[in-house]
């Protein structure tokens, strides 16, 4: 409902619903995480986490156990996970896990579910993971990353299609110039970002391709 508001001016939105067209929006810019794995791009990935004391040493070790995911229109909590698992599912020719718990909704619920043992493995937005590890390290002390997905486009700030093109252009320019402003550095350090990259609908082609690939395979 929020994303469909006609007065949407600048709200961050996951790239998967952008790519799927769940709401008609105009992408403006996306953050560039100041993290080595982002490769200086407006990109992110999902960390597939397990408990620190888990016996699993590879992703394949987790097969036959319990998997969790967040919500069906989430990239980090569903689409990226499905894409990462697809070749394994195709090779096996059937289910990878004995139990799959869906609709856990949030990254925090994935984290808590791994920690309390209700799931054995789940996808954690790696940018969120970095932030929570920095500010609430006690929450991540009991987990470790078993594998990480490939990079995909970072969630973007979007506007309603009714926002004048001139205003969209000015917003894109402002985001692109933010890293050069004197006020930016302390905010960037706190948020672990290096700047912003202008984006449009074509920027999310990878996200949509992953969806189409999985659906075409029947996964």
């Amino acid at each position: 409902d929020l994303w469909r508001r006609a007065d949407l001016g600048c709200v961050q939105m996951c790239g998967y619903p952008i790519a799927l067209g769940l709401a008609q929006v105009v992408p403006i810019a996306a953050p560039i995480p100041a993290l080595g794995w982002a490769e200086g791009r407006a990109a992110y990935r999902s960390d597939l986490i397990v408990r620190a004391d888990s016996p699993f040493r590879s992703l394949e070790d987790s097969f036959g156990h319990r998997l969790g995911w967040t919500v069906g229109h989430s990239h980090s909590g569903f689409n990226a996970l499905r894409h990462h698992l697809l070749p394994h599912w195709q090779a096996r020719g059937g289910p990878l896990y004995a139990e799959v718990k869906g609709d856990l909704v949030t990254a925090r619920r994935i984290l808590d579910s791994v920690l309390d043992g209700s799931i054995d493995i789940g996808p954690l937005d790696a940018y969120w993971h970095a932030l929570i590890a920095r500010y609430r390290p006690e929450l991540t002390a009991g987990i470790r990353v078993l594998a990480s997905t490939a990079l995909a486009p970072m969630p973007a700030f979007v506007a309603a299609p009714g926002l004048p093109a001139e205003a969209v252009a000015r917003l894109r320019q402002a985001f692109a110039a933010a890293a050069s402003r004197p006020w930016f550095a302390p905010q960037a350090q706190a948020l672990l970002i290096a700047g912003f990259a202008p984006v449009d609908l074509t920027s999310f082609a990878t996200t949509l391709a992953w969806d189409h690939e999985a659906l075409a395979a029947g996964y």
Side-chain angles (χ1 to χ4, degrees), residues 88-152:
H88 299 281
W89 178 82
Q90 290 174 314
R92 179 169 287 208
L96 299 175
Y97 292 92
E99 183 180 359
V100 178
K101 293 188 176 182
D103 295 316
L104 297 180
V105 183
T106 66
R108 176 64 187 272
R109 182 91 181 275
I110 292 286
L111 175 59
D112 291 344
S113 296
V114 168
L115 287 172
D116 69 22
S118 55
I119 62 173
D120 299 303
I121 182 170
L124 201 61
D125 176 329
Y127 173 63
W128 188 90
H129 187 184
L131 286 174
I132 205 71
R134 177 172 183 172
Y135 292 108
R136 294 289 303 277
E138 74 279 6
L139 295 178
T140 57
I143 63 166
R144 58 184 170 86
V145 177
L146 194 63
S148 295
T149 67
L151 292 177

Side-chain angles (χ1 to χ4, degrees), residues 47-70:
D47 291 336
L48 306 187
I49 62 163
V50 297
R51 282 173 57 114
D53 60 3
S54 167
F56 305 151
R57 291 294 175 264
S58 69
L59 179 63
E60 290 82 356
D61 290 342
S62 74
F63 297 164
H65 296 271
R66 296 166 301 168
L67 171 74
W69 51 269
T70 57

Side-chain angles (χ1 to χ4, degrees), residues 70-96:
T70 57
V71 65
H73 62 258
S74 167
H75 177 78
S76 63
F78 179 81
N79 192 43
L81 171 69
R82 182 178 55 174
H83 176 263
H84 193 80
L85 294 176
L86 177 59
H88 299 281
W89 178 82
Q90 290 174 314
R92 179 169 287 208
L96 299 175

